[in-house]
Amino acid sequence: QLTESGGGSVQTGGSLRLSCAASGRTFSRENMGWFRQAPGKDREFVAAMYFNGFRTYYADSVKGRFTISRDNDKSAVYLQMNSLKPEDTAVYYCAGGGWINIRSYSSWGQGTQVTVSP
C-alpha cells in the first residue's frame, strides 16, 4: 500500500514537499516514482529513483525544480517541489515497482492534490 501526503495550495514560486509512505511491501528493493495528472490530461511521469537511491530521472518540465528522495529505513519516498508554477497543478501519485514508463509500475497511491495559483 502507498499513501501520499503533503499536497496543498501555494502561490507561484512557492514550495511543497510530498511524502509517500509504503507498507506491506519490500520497499528497499523497489524503484519508486512520482507521476501527476492534471484535469483533462493523461497521467504523466515526473520523477523516479532507483531502489538504492543511486540513480534518478526527471521529466524535463520539472528538472532543476523538483527533487526526489527516499528513506528506505522509513519506507518512504519524497518529492521536494520548488519554484512551483500554475502548470504544476495536478493530482500527484507515487508508484512502485517501475521506472519511467507508466505501464511498468505495479502499485499506486491514491494521489494528493497540488494547486498552484498565479
Side-chain angles (χ1 to χ4, degrees):
Q1 183 176 358
L2 299 172
T3 305
E4 302 96 336
S5 62
S9 298
V10 296
Q11 293 186 326
T12 296
S15 298
L16 283 173
R17 186 188 191 220
L18 305 184
S19 299
C20 174
S23 62
R25 59 200 307 120
T26 310
F27 180 82
S28 62
R29 298 179 184 176
E30 282 191 306
N31 298 340
M32 296 297 294
W34 286 96
F35 289 76
R36 66 186 182 186
Q37 188 167 17
K41 295 188 177 181
D42 293 335
R43 193 171 299 188
E44 65 176 6
F45 170 80
V46 175
M49 174 172 272
Y50 264 11
F51 67 99
N52 55 13
F54 286 178
R55 185 180 179 188
T56 58
Y57 194 84
Y58 296 93
D60 287 342
S61 59
V62 306
K63 204 172 294 184
R65 301 187 298 123
F66 290 12
T67 303
I68 187 172
S69 61
R70 66 189 294 158
D71 185 335
N72 284 351
D73 290 336
K74 295 182 179 180
S75 295
V77 62
Y78 308 98
L79 186 68
Q80 178 66 44
M81 307 186 294
N82 298 329
S83 302
L84 283 162
K85 306 175 181 179
E87 50 264 44
D88 294 319
T89 295
V91 177
Y92 283 71
Y93 300 88
C94 71
W99 189 227
I100 300 169
N101 190 323
I102 190 172
R103 296 182 181 87
S104 67
Y105 284 85
S106 56
S107 301
W108 293 86
Q110 82 290 346
T112 186
Q113 176 71 46
V114 171
T115 303
V116 184
S117 57

